[in-house]
Amino acid sequence: MTPSLNHTSTILIIGAGTWGCSTALHLVRRGYKNVTVLDPHPVPSPIAAGNDVNKIMEHKELKGPHTDAKSVAFAICTRAALNGWMNDPVFKPYFHETGFIVSGSTSELIQHIKEEEIDSSEGDFVALETADDFRKTMPPGVLTGDFPGWKGWLNQKRAGWIHARKAMVSAYAEAQRLGVKFITSTPHGDVVSLVYEAGDVVGARTADDVVHRADHTILAAGAGSDRLLDFKKQLRPTAWTLSHIRMTPEESKLYRNLPVLFNIAKGFFMEPDEDRHELKICDEHPGYCNFMEDSKYPGEKRSIPFAKEQIPLEAEARARDFLRDTMPHLAERPFVFARICWDADTPDRAFLIDRHPDHPSLIVAVGGSGNGAMQMPTIGGFISDALEGKLQTELRDVVRWRPETAVDRDWQSTQNRFGGPNKLMDFQNVKKDEWTEIPKRD
């Protein structure tokens, strides 16, 4: 039986990352007066996927036969998010509509992009057939590579990048200003377990042994959620790798307002961070897991997240390979920062936002599956809709609790991602001397 809900109900959000901050903001905007958020780290958390200088924001209107339920649901979410990035004053300053280039460098991947990304969309795409076509999308001196085998498409509207960290901090600050209570420290905000009574969730226990009781609990702890609740194999914590190159102030000016350049098997880059003048490079691959024996799931190995501001040397090599194709003048420049970045994959890479079938006071809001940060302005509204029992049908049917999709789950699945060795990798196979040794920056 669904518990009662009104504007004086106590609501506990576990996780102060992208989705947790967004949810807190939407709830307080809707008039809820007793919202508390718990997280072991201050905002922005060093392990939150959204704690990043930039993330891709892309929206495509669908056309033709590519209108399966999951695609429709994702389009609904991104359409709403784009509207938020363009109009909500909390988020608007952090969206840069610079355009987006999607590309590949093998005939198979180029055909995949054309069928799945271009032919299925209403976007205004400009084909890029030659290295010179790619170079002309940016000022002279930026793209100096030969782009061997590359072909791509440029979409200049409704796409670009977001400053994820600043947007998350903005949402946090506004939610706090409107009355949300954030407890973000260890041990006071570090949730070690959910608290159950009569089969229902009545709150959470933190590392200082305090029980935070609530009428409703929302679990939005990203890749860490799997440590607090048995998701019946619906979540797989998966990590990606990023690195930064320091640019001069003059280079940063040259690299301003550039379209995002993304090769689906090689990597991507966006313009330098305006504060530190650092260019972020991401190598592209199906992801890393960290498979270990897990006391919470006896007899099973599960992927357990951890924080690290270094990346495997193989990831550095992939990033430099991407640079040699696109910007060889930067290919050997030292990295000044790198880290691994965790998210949580569902089996079908659709979000998981639903009231738990066995614990009626618990809402799960997880499964960003690599697409969560761009949803920041509005995902909290959909999560609030799930709490209120009014999530629209086109979304509800796709993002529901669905353990049947995880029966005999293949933990090694690439989840339709490409690059690197074209297989899922395991941090357990990376030896101690096979990590970068980038000095900690000031």
Side-chain angles (χ1 to χ4, degrees), residues 151-226:
K151 292 188 184 300
W153 288 265
L154 167 64
N155 179 13
Q156 294 179 298
K157 296 181 180 179
R158 304 184 301 278
W161 65 275
I162 58 173
H163 199 302
R165 179 188 303 135
K166 289 183 178 179
M168 181 164 56
V169 171
S170 179
Y172 155 74
E174 180 66 3
Q176 190 175 51
R177 186 187 72 82
L178 292 174
V180 173
K181 181 181 180 181
F182 285 83
I183 303 174
T184 54
S185 63
T186 298
H188 309 299
D190 185 5
V191 174
V192 295
S193 66
L194 300 176
V195 176
Y196 299 86
E197 288 182 4
D200 199 3
V201 171
V202 296
R205 185 183 302 276
T206 46
D208 54 358
D209 205 32
V210 172
V211 172
H212 301 262
R213 299 183 67 89
D215 298 321
H216 299 266
T217 300
I218 300 173
L219 179 55
S225 301
D226 195 45

Side-chain angles (χ1 to χ4, degrees), residues 16-18 21 39-53 163-170 172-173 182 184 309 339 376:
T18 300
C21 287
D39 197 283
H41 303 282
V43 178
S45 164
I47 63 172
N51 184 1
D52 200 354
V53 295
H163 199 302
R165 179 188 303 135
K166 289 183 178 179
M168 181 164 56
V169 171
S170 179
Y172 155 74
F182 285 83
T184 54
E309 289 190 354
R339 78 174 180 109
M376 195 186 313

Side-chain angles (χ1 to χ4, degrees), residues 258-292:
L258 302 183
V260 176
L261 175 59
F262 177 43
N263 181 305
I264 66 171
K266 291 249 181 177
F268 60 91
F269 89 97
M270 286 168 272
E271 69 178 74
D273 171 32
E274 62 185 358
D275 298 321
R276 290 182 175 268
H277 304 301
E278 292 176 2
L279 183 75
K280 186 181 85 170
I281 307 295
C282 288
D283 59 311
E284 190 67 18
H285 49 75
Y288 284 91
C289 285
N290 184 45
F291 289 115
M292 302 174 65

Side-chain angles (χ1 to χ4, degrees), residues 20 31 41 50 62 86 96 136 146 154 210 290 325 334 349 356 358 369 399 403:
H41 303 282
L62 299 175
M86 298 184 75
H96 302 261
K136 287 178 179 177
D146 292 332
L154 167 64
V210 172
N290 184 45
D325 278 7
R349 290 184 63 188
H356 195 284
D358 300 324
S369 302
V399 304

Side-chain angles (χ1 to χ4, degrees), residues 100-136:
F100 176 76
I101 297 169
V102 59
S103 59
S105 46
T106 68
S107 58
E108 294 81 7
L109 292 180
I110 291 167
Q111 185 62 27
H112 171 83
I113 295 167
K114 188 174 187 302
E115 293 176 355
E116 299 297 325
E117 300 280 338
I118 308 305
D119 291 348
S120 64
S121 304
E122 297 281 3
D124 298 322
F125 292 96
V126 176
L128 308 174
E129 302 282 348
T130 67
D132 197 46
D133 288 342
F134 280 94
R135 295 188 199 111
K136 287 178 179 177

